[in-house]
Amino acid sequence: MNHIEEAGRETPYDHPVIATLAGVAILVLAALLAPRLVPQQPLGSLIGAGAVFALLLWAVGFVVTTRYSTLAWKLGSLVLLLAAGAGVAMIAHAQYETLARADASSFAEVEFGPGGAPKVPAGAASRGPLSRLFVESVTADAQAQRDFGTAFGRLGVANLTSPYLLEQDPRALSQCVAIADLRTLAQSQAADRHRRATAMAQALAAANLPAKAKQGIAVMSGPTASASDPLLANQIAMVGATSELCELLAKRGWFNNGGYFGFRSGADEARFRALSKRRMELAGETARIERAAQERMSSGREMVRDVLSRSIFLPG
């Protein structure tokens, strides 16, 4: 009886087959789940990880059943699992590439609306971590611009351009300090832009993308240095010029000269003309900043599109 049992234990061919197939199934499942649970990895690292995991699964199978099999099955199971480990590494790499392409596609599909405002594609926020940060940034920037304009409008700044409007509603002349205080709002918005740009730069540095794709996304995201924020400088200058204009008109040394401002003092008139010219120049500068931002994003978009057009997207 013992001899028969021993003979039966020497060649349990069904068990190594089951152990090997179970190991392959686990490897495939890991390859499908890893890209959604583990940060993106280079292909070489994936192959190495696949080999180590395959060896671990073989060891488990060996302890459970394969050790009772023949030498051919022991070696064959090991070879099959190692090959499967390399194969699923390629599967995982393809999964990562699919996810990376989807993430980068948000930048490649940006369009521009009237006035040059960027428009992100529908569902972009769910395409990946970089897309989510980009959508948040574009949305927040647009809202900040609206908030800044609303804050100006709420103080009646538009009335400072017309003697008729000031005669009808002179309340803006009591808001000169509040207008000057708008520089705080501009600085706060600039700090938020800097924070968002820094978060994007950090996420981009951690992403395993081609260098040109990273460069294009970085160009679209804008500079991370708060000192190089032309919009902040423009807004601060506009706030300063507008508050000075308010203070000048609050002296009541003007009169309605046929729909234009007339002044009893030559110095006040010269100052009014200088401030008006300065505000017009700043408005033109604002438009140039917006055009430059659109051109920058368009340039970065083309770089990402070029990389996406290639058959192989991820670096090895």
Side-chain angles (χ1 to χ4, degrees):
M1 177 69 70
N2 292 337
H3 178 72
I4 295 174
E5 290 178 355
E6 176 124 3
R9 291 175 58 191
E10 286 178 355
T11 56
Y13 296 107
D14 55 330
H15 297 312
V17 171
I18 293 174
T20 303
L21 292 177
V24 171
I26 293 173
L27 285 169
V28 171
L29 180 62
L32 296 176
L33 293 178
R36 291 162 177 79
L37 301 175
V38 180
Q40 196 169 304
Q41 303 295 323
L43 178 57
S45 298
L46 291 173
I47 292 176
V52 171
F53 193 28
L55 185 60
L56 177 62
L57 290 172
W58 177 82
V60 172
F62 181 84
V63 171
V64 173
T65 183
T66 311
R67 65 192 176 101
Y68 298 119
S69 188
T70 63
L71 179 61
W73 263 115
K74 293 173 184 176
L75 294 177
S77 176
L78 176 60
V79 170
L80 287 173
L81 283 172
L82 288 175
V88 298
M90 299 300 294
I91 294 174
H93 186 260
Q95 293 281 310
Y96 278 119
E97 178 162 335
T98 298
L99 294 174
R101 281 182 176 275
D103 202 0
S105 69
S106 297
F107 299 87
E109 296 174 16
V110 168
E111 299 295 342
F112 301 96
K119 298 171 62 178
V120 296
S126 62
R127 296 185 184 183
L130 297 177
S131 293
R132 177 180 54 80
L133 290 172
F134 184 60
V135 171
E136 290 176 357
S137 179
V138 169
T139 303
D141 287 348
Q143 185 61 51
Q145 286 286 75
R146 289 193 293 270
D147 290 344
F148 192 77
T150 299
F152 253 111
R154 190 179 297 120
L155 297 175
V157 170
N159 289 5
L160 299 179
T161 63
S162 167
Y164 173 77
L165 292 177
L166 275 184
E167 288 174 339
Q168 298 299 311
D169 184 4
R171 287 177 296 178
L173 299 179
S174 64
Q175 301 293 333
C176 300
V177 174
I179 293 172
D181 287 343
L182 287 178
R183 63 170 54 93
T184 301
L185 175 60
Q187 291 166 341
S188 174
Q189 291 181 344
D192 288 340
R193 285 195 298 275
H194 174 62
R195 176 184 54 77
R196 291 191 293 270
T198 300
M200 174 63 82
Q202 292 172 345
L204 193 56
N208 185 27
L209 296 175
K212 189 172 182 180
K214 284 190 172 186
Q215 183 182 356
I217 292 173
V219 168
M220 295 182 71
S221 301
T224 57
S226 57
S228 59
D229 190 337
L231 179 59
L232 173 61
N234 176 263
Q235 289 177 330
I236 292 294
M238 180 62 82
V239 166
T242 304
S243 64
E244 287 186 45
L245 177 62
C246 178
E247 291 171 356
L248 174 64
L249 296 177
K251 292 166 56 179
R252 304 283 182 168
W254 55 272
F255 57 91
N256 188 343
N257 184 17
Y260 296 92
F261 282 103
F263 291 87
R264 301 178 183 88
S265 164
D268 286 349
E269 181 176 2
R271 185 58 180 159
F272 174 81
R273 291 184 182 279
L275 289 172
S276 297
K277 180 181 178 182
R278 177 60 174 155
R279 293 181 76 243
M280 289 182 64
E281 291 172 346
L282 290 170
E285 182 181 310
T286 302
R288 288 192 295 273
I289 291 171
E290 292 172 350
R291 286 195 300 271
Q294 179 183 350
E295 292 169 358
R296 170 177 54 78
M297 294 190 73
S298 180
S299 173
R301 179 188 63 181
E302 295 309 310
M303 296 172 69
V304 179
R305 284 181 174 178
D306 179 62
V307 178
L308 282 174
S309 68
R310 303 172 188 173
S311 56
I312 298 176
F313 181 68
L314 289 182

